[in-house]
Amino acid sequence: LNLSAEAAPPDFIMLGENGARYGDLSMGQIEFNIQERRNRIFQLMEEVRRLRIQQRIKAKAPGMRGTQTVREMQEQESFPSAIPNFPPITKNTIQDYKRFYSIATPAVIIFGGLIAPLLEVRMGLGGASYYD
């Protein structure tokens, strides 16, 4: 597998921000750019987190302003679920996710390691048979 710039078609140009050509960068410059972009992403994520905290503080009723601590706000924070049809991940729903994982993982292992091979060999169900 040849991943060099010479292996690309002649009309292929990799452009970055402000029209910078990535094909002209050395390996060290590419690694530096990757690290800089990762740092920038981390900074932006931290800024979004802080802005969300400020948004919650300002959205509260004027009489209740400042009564909720940052820790309480973080506990109430929710994240979208990676599992379809599951609720957002919060401190309260994390137990449901742990139960799902503790049931689903052994079920997949048992089915894939014991039940599926037995069904295939003894009953002829499942994948293609091995003809010799």
Side-chain angles (χ1 to χ4, degrees):
L1 184 62
N2 188 359
L3 298 177
S4 66
E6 295 82 27
D11 58 345
F12 181 75
I13 300 173
M14 291 179 55
L15 294 177
E17 295 174 1
N18 303 325
R21 290 179 179 247
Y22 290 141
D24 299 337
L25 298 177
S26 69
M27 188 60 130
Q29 291 172 324
I30 292 172
E31 289 173 4
F32 176 76
N33 282 328
I34 290 171
Q35 189 62 38
E36 286 296 314
R37 281 169 177 73
R38 283 183 179 161
N39 289 341
R40 181 71 179 142
I41 290 169
F42 175 76
Q43 289 171 348
L44 290 172
M45 289 172 55
E46 183 66 20
E47 185 177 336
V48 167
R49 186 186 69 81
R50 290 178 183 181
L51 287 171
R52 283 184 180 159
I53 292 171
Q54 288 299 316
Q55 181 183 31
R56 286 188 193 128
I57 290 171
K58 295 197 185 239
K60 293 176 68 170
M64 301 177 69
R65 191 173 205 160
T67 58
Q68 192 176 28
T69 65
V70 173
R71 179 179 288 271
E72 290 171 346
M73 282 190 250
Q74 287 175 344
E75 288 175 358
Q76 292 176 355
E77 190 170 29
S78 66
F79 301 96
S81 173
I83 303 170
N85 300 323
F86 260 62
I89 300 172
T90 64
K91 190 169 180 93
N92 297 333
T93 60
I94 196 71
Q95 293 302 322
D96 295 336
Y97 283 90
K98 289 179 181 177
R99 282 188 211 109
F100 176 78
Y101 177 79
S102 64
I103 292 170
T105 303
V108 167
I109 292 171
I110 289 170
F111 180 79
L114 296 175
I115 297 172
L118 287 174
L119 289 174
E120 185 176 354
V121 172
R122 296 222 174 126
M123 299 180 76
L125 299 175
S129 299
Y130 301 102
Y131 294 112
D132 288 334

